[in-house]
Amino acid sequence: MTRSLFKGNFWSADILSTIGYDSIIQHLNNGRKNCKEFEDFLKERAAIEERYGRDLLSLSRKKPCGQSEINTLKRALEVFKQQVDSVAQCHIQLAQSLREEARKMEEFREKQKLQRKKTELVMDAVHKQKSLQFKKTMDAKKNYEQKCRDKDEAEQAVNRSANLVNQKQQEKLFVKLATSKTAVEDSDKAYLLHVSTLDKVREEWQSEHIKACEVFEAQECERINFFRNALWLHVNQLSQQCVTSDEMYEKVRKSLEMCSIQKDIEYFVNQRKTGQIPPAPIMYENFYSPQRNAAPPGKATGPNLARRGPLPIPKSSPDDPDYALVNDYSLLYQ
């Protein structure tokens, strides 16, 4: 805690002036406004983080990303999608943390506002009392000075009437002088009383002003420390978010290191291969060639029937009723 500086640097020679107190209050109001601005900043940043996290989550879960990949690269892509999902969740959690910090800042502002209110009420009362007593004192002084002038005029009138023969007029002047002297004495007492009262009010105000300065300075030290710590925590949260994201992306990099181009190629070949024999070359076929009835070009050829021997001729025998010969033709009876 630093030594108190407020109470020694916010005075004014004018007893009615509140410029020092007003300067402190204005500074405290600015500080409160700054806290509110940072609170709003945290809320907006939280909204951005949550919106980004949800958009990233939607992207990770709904948008295809290499869905037809196979083997090791497919596994790396699965890890990638999982980690993007985790990063999105981290951003949503960060948004919740930022809202919590904004809530703490709001509570701190309101707490200081209530603490200040008590001191401000006391200071408002002593300022009002000081101003009222100063006015009464100035009125008493004005009345006292007027009574003094009236007495002086009465004395001058008595002195001028010393040579007057009219005794009755002289008596009136002496009565007026005596009355004015009494009025001066009464106004003097009243004036002194008001001055004394004003001095007591001034001392009370001065004491309360010192107390207020100490309270306000302590509050300002607390506010600066709280604000500084809140900002420090905020950037730590952002740094931690980056570290966490990098750790998740490192898992993706490690899975990519496990990818094997050769294995993926071999996996594809083993799963989708169609054969190892290419088609035979297409040969020239003469239209008049006896082999033109061979298989169509590009098709696998079967046994060459043209190279086989002649079909056997069935023989008829008396014991075989299924065949009969008619002019060298064989007929099959049904």
Side-chain angles (χ1 to χ4, degrees), residues 195-206:
V195 168
S196 176
T197 303
L198 178 60
D199 193 55
K200 292 179 181 179
V201 170
R202 181 193 61 79
E203 288 178 352
E204 181 182 357
W205 161 77
Q206 184 172 319

Side-chain angles (χ1 to χ4, degrees), residues 15 23 69 71 101 106 172 186 192 198 230 281 283 293 313:
I15 191 173
S23 180
E69 285 294 341
N71 208 34
E101 294 307 312
E106 182 180 10
K172 287 182 179 181
D186 292 341
L192 285 172
L198 178 60
M283 306 300 293
N293 292 327
I313 298 174

Side-chain angles (χ1 to χ4, degrees), residues 69-82 251-252 255-256 258-260 263-264 267:
E69 285 294 341
I70 59 174
N71 208 34
T72 62
L73 185 55
K74 179 180 180 180
R75 289 194 290 271
L77 281 168
E78 289 173 351
V79 174
F80 169 70
K81 294 291 288 292
Q82 291 171 358
K251 294 179 181 179
V252 180
S255 68
L256 290 172
M258 301 301 294
C259 285
S260 170
K263 287 182 179 179
D264 286 2
Y267 182 85

Side-chain angles (χ1 to χ4, degrees), residues 18 91 158 190 216 220 223 304:
T18 58
H91 280 281
V158 169
F216 291 156
E220 183 60 4
R223 186 195 68 82
N304 190 344

Side-chain angles (χ1 to χ4, degrees), residues 34-49:
N34 293 337
C35 289
K36 180 64 167 65
E37 289 174 351
F38 183 63
E39 174 191 329
D40 293 340
F41 178 90
L42 289 175
K43 290 179 179 178
E44 291 189 26
R45 179 63 188 264
I48 292 172
E49 290 290 341

Side-chain angles (χ1 to χ4, degrees), residues 90-104:
C90 285
H91 280 281
I92 294 174
Q93 293 174 2
L94 175 60
Q96 296 173 347
S97 298
L98 294 179
R99 288 194 179 94
E100 177 64 19
E101 294 307 312
R103 184 189 63 80
K104 291 179 181 178

